[in-house]
């Protein structure tokens, strides 16, 4: 923006850009009217500087805020003007310009404020460290008070700080600290039980009231004071509690011990015998600390002794460490040992008083939890990958089918198309296996020909087991049809085959036998065998190392494993066991150590004619008749493919990117006959949530949901009325056409 002024400083011209920016309509202004665009707080100093430069005839440079008419906000500008002089040096005119510097100015303010906050944080951290160091060094509470007061007066020079420590809960009298013309504020300092320890009082001059940041800083510093007072009181309390030591040792379930540092004599409570089986009255080694240490695990001994000696010869008050301690039976327990150092008035160590707690069960549970969390993380990652692959397979499979329709049956290129379809279906099976491992899909029992299913898995099993394993699958017949979830069953078979492979590190034979059995009563030697009925038995036999008799009863326990650390979660067989039980079946293990293991699975037999075709098949494609479908899919490639597929099936389509877009336009769309939505979508509203909202607004609108993640949406929505159904990705065109007709005409 450009402007000019007369030699005596009267602005007589502003350009059109200035007019557009400020909203002023007249280009010619008498003296002073241009100030209407300047921020009221900046006008006085702006005029003073301008008139000073005019009188002295020097270049004018300044910064002030000008109102932006369009937004109504004031923005910072850099304003400058230079005098134009005649031949005699007399000023003929002033030429000025105005440049918007608001962004950089605001950035400078933010940087300055951040730097100030960072410095204050650093100063507070330094104070905290100094307070903790002073406490550790055993300095007096008065010296710590002086440290806190000096820091407050450094950070808040306009304030005066006072500290008053109470031995009771008497309230502070502010007049005791108040100064004339001051504002006084009190911060009570209480312990964890709410007992008043001290009052932290700040006096401010009345014209310099504390800001919110000041109050926050003072509040934090008061916590440092609380720590200092509590730790000092704890030290005094520790001395009072020494007399209660032996009484506590009689009632606690932990091992209480005391060591005289001058004589090395050691005392243990009766808990040592109860927890670890050691009797101090019969074991002389437990009389002295130097010899009692032999029961500490050799790998932990040097660390235990070293850290304890370090605490004793420092000014620290306590010591705590976890390590392994040998029981009387030779096994090791995980323990935590917590001790206090008792010192004389000069700080010299006299004795150690402590307790030992057996935390073996706690450590075992923590390890099991970590293993479970790792397995859950792997499951989530696997499920996410399978979801993305299913989206890709939906597009690949759909386009391959459309390409097959576009060329004649005699076209030699049909073989390539059929290969793509076959590979896509195989990819879908693989992603289903991933989802089964991840436990991301509900159990869906079906009538399955076990022999056909296992024969179809042969190539997958061979590649998984490796070249050193010979695989034999035999048996079957019409009676080998079982009622089971095929995906979960595949997962269980892979799990059992991998266990068999691991038992034969040098390679060997793995046999899978399938036959039908009739159980008239519980198996003789099994108290919980299969209930009477007809079953398909799948026996997986290896010729490996076998299972030791003493652990065979534990193999189905969660987290139980004989593999090395990091090579097994201990959950594989327990997951198989749970799946078989959920399928109303039974699992049995027979093993001879050194000869091999046979795992037999009993699954309820199903009617043969209900067996599903595991190879898949083409269904008759039912076309639409111009029905209007509202498609919601966040994946652009999938959305474009499905939209094209729906149009080719005879439907009208409105395609949207996510649930939020759908909710915006649903009331405006006319004659929507069906909502077809993905389940897993970004934006905060999932497909299931969208379906619930739409169902409440339009209870008669048919809804079809789809997902490559295969979450159990049946728990979230009522899908049993036929007007809301689920179609799992990847799906074939015939699957989509059939499901649409089913939902539309229910």
């Amino acid at each position: 923006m450009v402007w000019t002024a007369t030699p005596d400083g009267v602005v007589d011209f502003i350009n059109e850009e200035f007019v557009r920016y400020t909203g002023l309509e007249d280009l010619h202004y008498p003296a002073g009217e241009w100030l209407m665009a300047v921020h009221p707080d900046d006008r006085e100093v702006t005029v003073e500087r301008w008139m000073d430069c005019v009188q002295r005839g020097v270049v004018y440079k300044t910064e002030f805020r000008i109102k932006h008419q369009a937004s109504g906000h004031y923005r910072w500008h850099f304003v400058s003007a230079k005098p134009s002089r005649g031949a005699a040096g007399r000023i003929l005119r002033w030429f000025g310009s105005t440049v918007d510097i608001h962004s950089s100015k605001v950035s400078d303010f933010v940087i300055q404020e951040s730097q100030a906050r960072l410095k204050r944080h650093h100063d507070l951290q330094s104070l905290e460290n100094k307070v903790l160091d002073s406490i550790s060094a055993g300095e007096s509470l008065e010296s710590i008070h002086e440290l806190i007061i000096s820091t407050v007066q450094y950070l808040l020079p306009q304030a005066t700080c006072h500290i008053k420590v109470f031995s009771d809960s008497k309230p502070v009298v502010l007049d005791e600290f108040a100064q004339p013309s001051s504002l006084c504020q009190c911060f009570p300092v209480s312990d964890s039980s709410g007992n008043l320890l001290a009052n932290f009082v700040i006096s401010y001059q009345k014209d310099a009231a504390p800001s919110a940041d000041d109050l926050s800083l003072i509040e934090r510093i008061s916590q440092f004071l609380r720590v200092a007072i509590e730790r000092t009181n704890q030290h005094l309390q520790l001395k009072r509690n020494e007399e209660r030591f032996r009484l506590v040792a009689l009632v606690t379930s932990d091992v209480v011990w005391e060591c005289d540092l001058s004589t090395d004599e050691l005392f243990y409570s009766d808990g040592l015998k109860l927890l670890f089986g050691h009797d101090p009255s019969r074991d002389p080694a437990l009389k002295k600390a130097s010899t009692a240490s032999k029961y500490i695990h050799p790998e932990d001994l040097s660390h235990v002794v070293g850290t304890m000696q370090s605490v004793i010869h420092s000014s620290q008050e306590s010591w705590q460490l976890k390590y392994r301690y040998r029981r009387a039976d030779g096994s090791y327990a995980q323990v935590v040992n917590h001790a206090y150092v008792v010192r004389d008035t000069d700080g010299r160590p006299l004795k150690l008083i402590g307790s030992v707690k057996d935390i073996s069960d706690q450590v075992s549970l923590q390890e099991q939890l970590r293993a479970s969390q790792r397995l859950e993380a792997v499951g989530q990652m696997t499920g996410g990958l399978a979801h993305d692959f299913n989206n890709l397979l939906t597009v690949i499979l759909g386009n391959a089918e459309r390409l097959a329709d576009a060329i004649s049956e005699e076209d030699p290129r049909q073989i390539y198309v059929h290969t793509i379809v076959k590979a896509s279906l195989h990819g879908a099976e693989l992603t289903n296996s991933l989802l089964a491992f991840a436990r991301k899909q509900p159990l869906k029992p079906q009538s399955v020909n076990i022999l056909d299913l296992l024969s179809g898995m042969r190539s997958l099993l061979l590649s998984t087991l490796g070249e050193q394993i010979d695989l034999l699958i035999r048996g079957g017949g019409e009676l080998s049809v079982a009622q089971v979830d095929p995906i979960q069953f595949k997962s269980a078979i892979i799990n059992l085959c991998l266990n068999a492979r691991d038992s034969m590190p040098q390679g060997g034979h793995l046999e899978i036998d399938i036959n039908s059995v009739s159980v008239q009563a519980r198996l003789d030697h099994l108290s919980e065998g299969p209930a009477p009925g007809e079953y398909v038995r799948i026996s997986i036999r290896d010729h490996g190392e076998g299972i030791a008799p003493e652990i065979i009863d534990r193999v189905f326990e969660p987290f139980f494993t004989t593999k090395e650390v990091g090579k097994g979660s201990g959950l594989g067989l327990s997951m198989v066991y749970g799946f078989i039980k959920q399928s109303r079946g039974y699992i049995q293990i027979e093993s001879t150590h050194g000869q091999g293991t046979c795992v037999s699975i009993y699954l309820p037999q199903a009617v043969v004619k209900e067996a599903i075709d595991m190879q898949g098949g083409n269904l008759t494609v039912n076309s639409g008749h111009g029905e209007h479908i509202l498609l919601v899919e966040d994946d652009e490639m999938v959305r474009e493919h499905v939209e094209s597929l729906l149009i080719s099936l005879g439907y009208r389509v409105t395609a949207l990117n996510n649930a939020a877009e759908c909710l915006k336009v649903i009331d405006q769309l006319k004659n929507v006959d069906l909502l077809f939505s993905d389940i897993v979508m970004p934006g905060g509203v999932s497909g299931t949530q969208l379906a619930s909202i739409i169902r409440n607004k339009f209870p008669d609108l048919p809804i079809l949901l789809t997902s490559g993640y295969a979450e159990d949406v049946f728990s979230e929505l009522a899908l049993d009325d036929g007007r809301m159904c689920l179609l799992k990705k990847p799906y074939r065109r015939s699957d989509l056409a059939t499901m649409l007709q089913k939902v539309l005409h229910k």
Side-chain angles (χ1 to χ4, degrees):
M1 295 182 287
V2 179
W3 53 275
T4 64
T6 61
D8 57 350
V10 177
V11 176
D12 59 357
F13 169 80
I14 56 176
N15 69 348
E16 293 184 4
E17 179 63 25
F18 197 104
V19 173
R20 284 194 297 270
Y21 192 93
T22 61
L24 302 177
E25 299 178 354
D26 193 352
L27 293 178
H28 302 287
Y29 286 83
E33 274 194 55
W34 61 275
L35 284 173
M36 296 300 296
V38 180
H39 193 286
D41 294 344
D42 300 340
R43 291 173 184 172
E44 182 177 351
V45 65
T46 298
V47 172
E48 289 178 358
R49 292 178 181 174
W50 170 237
M51 296 311 299
D52 177 65
C53 290
V54 169
Q55 292 173 6
R56 295 191 294 123
V58 297
V59 175
Y60 174 68
K61 292 182 180 181
T62 189
E63 296 175 359
F64 55 82
R65 290 164 287 181
I66 298 177
K67 187 174 184 179
H68 183 233
Q69 183 65 22
S71 66
H73 298 148
Y74 284 92
R75 296 180 62 85
W76 282 96
H77 286 72
F78 173 74
V79 183
S80 63
K82 295 179 65 176
S84 176
R85 302 178 184 273
R90 185 171 60 88
I91 296 176
L92 302 178
R93 197 169 194 77
W94 289 85
F95 292 90
S97 64
T98 302
V99 179
D100 190 321
I101 61 168
H102 189 79
S103 296
S104 62
K105 193 75 173 178
V106 170
S107 297
D108 291 342
F109 289 153
V110 172
I111 291 173
Q112 292 172 5
E113 184 176 353
S114 297
Q115 290 175 340
R117 289 180 181 274
L118 182 61
K119 184 178 184 305
R120 176 170 287 190
H121 175 77
H122 179 270
D123 291 337
L124 278 177
Q125 191 65 51
S126 176
L127 173 61
E128 183 176 9
N129 292 337
K130 289 178 180 178
V131 169
L132 294 177
D133 290 343
S134 298
I135 294 172
S136 299
E139 295 183 14
S140 66
L141 193 57
E142 289 75 13
S143 64
I144 298 176
H145 289 176
E146 293 176 1
L147 174 62
I148 293 175
I149 290 173
S150 64
T151 302
V152 172
Q153 292 176 342
Y154 167 72
L155 295 174
L156 304 173
Q158 72 277 26
T160 303
C161 175
H162 306 276
I163 298 175
K164 184 169 184 179
V165 179
F166 293 93
S167 57
D168 51 28
S169 298
K170 294 180 181 178
V172 67
V173 180
L174 294 182
D175 290 342
E176 179 181 346
F177 306 109
Q179 301 295 328
S181 302
S182 67
L183 178 65
C184 201
Q185 190 157 1
C186 175
F187 293 83
V189 179
S190 302
D191 61 17
S192 56
S193 302
N195 300 316
L196 184 65
L197 299 176
N199 270 315
F200 191 42
V201 183
I202 301 292
S203 299
Y204 267 83
Q205 295 299 319
K206 287 188 176 180
D207 58 352
S211 65
D213 285 346
D214 292 346
L215 295 176
S216 176
L217 180 146
I218 296 168
E219 179 66 27
R220 184 173 173 185
I221 292 178
S222 68
Q223 299 306 312
F224 301 161
L225 178 60
R226 177 186 62 80
V227 173
I229 296 174
E230 282 190 329
R231 290 293 294 273
T232 302
N233 290 342
Q234 288 170 0
H235 182 69
L236 296 174
Q237 186 66 32
L238 180 61
K239 293 183 177 180
R240 301 188 192 104
N241 290 340
E242 286 184 20
E243 297 300 323
R244 305 172 187 171
F245 168 70
R246 297 189 183 278
L247 291 176
V248 173
L250 296 175
V251 297
T252 183
S253 59
D254 298 336
V255 180
V256 179
W257 58 273
E258 178 181 343
C259 178
D260 190 320
L261 296 177
S262 62
T263 64
D264 197 37
E265 291 182 354
L266 190 59
F267 161 80
Y268 284 107
S269 67
D270 294 340
L272 186 68
K273 184 176 181 179
L274 295 175
L275 289 180
F276 306 113
H278 296 299
D279 187 351
S281 64
R282 297 185 178 183
D283 188 348
L286 294 172
K287 300 292 186 180
K288 297 286 185 178
S290 56
T291 54
S293 61
K294 73 176 187 177
Y295 292 111
I296 300 174
H297 194 286
E299 295 178 2
D300 300 337
L301 179 59
S302 61
H303 183 57
V304 173
V305 175
T307 55
M308 181 180 289
Q309 290 297 322
S310 176
V311 170
I312 292 173
H313 297 296
S314 69
S315 57
Q316 297 180 48
E317 299 175 354
S318 63
W319 169 83
Q320 179 173 306
L321 194 65
K322 296 177 183 178
Y323 56 89
R324 290 164 290 182
Y325 187 82
R326 180 155 55 91
R327 300 185 180 97
D329 62 6
S331 63
Y332 280 92
Q334 293 280 351
V335 302
V336 58
N337 197 342
H338 191 185
Y340 280 92
V341 184
V342 179
R343 304 179 186 275
D344 61 16
T345 55
D346 295 325
R348 288 188 293 268
L350 300 177
K351 63 176 68 175
L352 288 172
I353 300 175
S355 65
V356 177
K357 184 179 184 65
D358 188 343
I359 59 170
S360 301
D361 291 341
Q362 177 184 343
V363 171
S364 177
L365 288 174
Q366 290 173 345
E367 291 174 351
Q368 294 173 13
L369 176 60
R370 284 193 291 269
S372 176
Q373 290 172 337
R374 285 196 299 270
L375 192 65
E376 179 66 21
V378 171
Q380 290 177 356
M381 180 185 69
T382 304
L385 290 173
H387 165 266
D388 292 340
F389 274 114
N390 275 334
N391 275 341
L392 295 174
L393 289 171
T394 298
V395 178
I396 295 171
L397 183 59
N399 281 284
E401 290 184 324
R402 296 186 67 184
L403 181 59
D405 291 342
I407 60 179
S408 66
E409 289 291 339
E410 294 75 20
D411 193 314
R413 292 174 295 179
Q414 281 283 3
I415 189 172
Y416 304 128
V417 176
H418 291 314
T419 301
I420 295 174
V421 172
K422 185 176 180 181
S424 299
L425 293 175
H426 183 58
E429 291 182 1
L430 292 178
T431 56
N432 284 336
S433 297
L434 291 175
L435 289 168
F437 278 122
R439 305 179 75 183
K440 289 293 184 180
Q441 69 178 29
L443 199 62
K444 297 179 180 178
Q446 300 171 353
S447 296
V448 178
N449 188 306
I450 299 299
L451 179 60
D452 290 348
L453 187 146
L454 292 178
S455 297
M457 290 179 62
R458 182 178 180 84
S459 59
L460 173 62
L461 290 173
L462 288 174
S463 62
T464 302
L465 298 174
E467 298 179 352
Q468 291 183 307
I469 302 297
D470 294 326
L471 176 64
L472 177 62
I473 301 175
R474 60 195 175 198
E478 289 188 355
L479 297 180
S480 66
V481 179
Q483 190 73 15
V484 68
D485 184 322
I487 303 303
Q488 296 285 5
F489 178 72
K490 287 182 180 181
S491 174
I493 291 297
I494 292 173
N495 203 320
L496 294 173
C497 288
L498 289 175
N499 279 348
R501 179 201 64 183
D502 293 343
S503 71
M504 299 184 290
Q506 305 302 321
H509 299 282
L510 178 60
E511 303 164 5
I512 303 180
D513 290 306
I514 307 149
N515 52 67
S516 59
V517 295
S518 179
V519 177
Q520 303 301 325
R522 299 283 183 181
L523 298 182
D524 294 341
H525 57 288
L526 298 174
S527 60
E528 296 183 2
E534 303 300 319
Y535 292 88
V536 176
R537 181 173 62 193
I538 304 96
S539 300
I540 302 172
R541 184 184 304 275
D542 65 65
H543 300 277
E545 301 171 352
I547 304 174
E550 61 269 19
I551 64 171
I552 195 169
D553 292 334
R554 300 187 60 196
V555 294
F556 291 128
E557 293 181 7
F559 302 105
F560 179 79
T561 180
T562 58
K563 297 178 182 179
E564 298 178 16
V565 175
K567 292 188 176 181
S569 65
L571 290 172
L573 284 177
S574 65
M575 293 170 64
V576 173
Y577 176 84
F579 159 66
I580 298 300
K581 283 290 187 181
Q582 189 178 357
S583 302
R584 296 183 296 111
Y586 186 77
I587 185 169
Q588 171 189 356
I589 289 188
E590 296 175 319
S591 182
T592 302
H593 193 47
Q595 298 184 18
T597 301
C598 180
V599 180
S600 296
I601 295 174
Y602 293 79
L603 294 174
Q605 196 174 85
V607 179
V608 175
K609 65 180 181 180
E610 296 179 354
I612 65 170
D613 178 10
M614 294 308 296
Q615 304 301 322
N618 293 323
L619 299 176
T620 302
V621 176
N622 299 311
S623 299
H625 300 283
E627 292 93 338
H628 186 189
I629 294 181
L630 183 57
L631 172 64
V632 185
E633 169 63 62
D634 64 290
D635 189 297
E636 180 180 1
M637 184 168 57
V638 177
R639 183 174 63 252
E640 292 176 354
H641 162 69
V642 176
E643 180 181 7
S644 175
L645 186 59
L646 290 171
I647 293 173
S648 72
L649 289 172
Y651 298 99
R652 292 182 295 117
V653 183
T654 298
L656 300 174
N657 184 46
N658 53 49
E661 289 185 5
C662 178
L663 294 174
K664 289 180 182 178
V665 303
I666 187 65
D667 293 325
Q668 304 170 11
L669 296 176
K670 303 296 184 183
N671 301 323
V672 174
D673 297 302
L674 181 141
L675 170 67
F676 184 27
S677 174
D678 190 19
I679 291 179
V680 181
M681 293 186 291
V685 182
S686 69
T688 54
Q689 293 170 328
L690 173 64
S692 295
I693 296 171
I694 297 299
R695 174 54 63 90
N696 290 333
K697 297 184 68 173
F698 306 101
D700 296 326
L701 180 66
I703 297 174
L704 178 59
L705 299 176
T706 184
S707 177
Y709 205 54
E711 289 281 5
D712 189 2
V713 298
F714 293 90
S715 63
E716 300 183 40
L717 296 172
L719 304 181
D720 57 353
D721 61 358
R723 302 286 282 174
M724 187 183 299
C725 294
L726 175 67
L727 179 62
K728 184 180 176 301
K729 294 178 182 176
Y731 46 79
R732 306 188 71 166
R733 181 178 56 171
S734 57
D735 298 331
L736 175 61
T738 301
M739 186 63 76
L740 288 171
Q741 290 296 311
K742 172 185 175 182
V743 180
L744 282 169
H745 301 296
K746 178 67 176 180

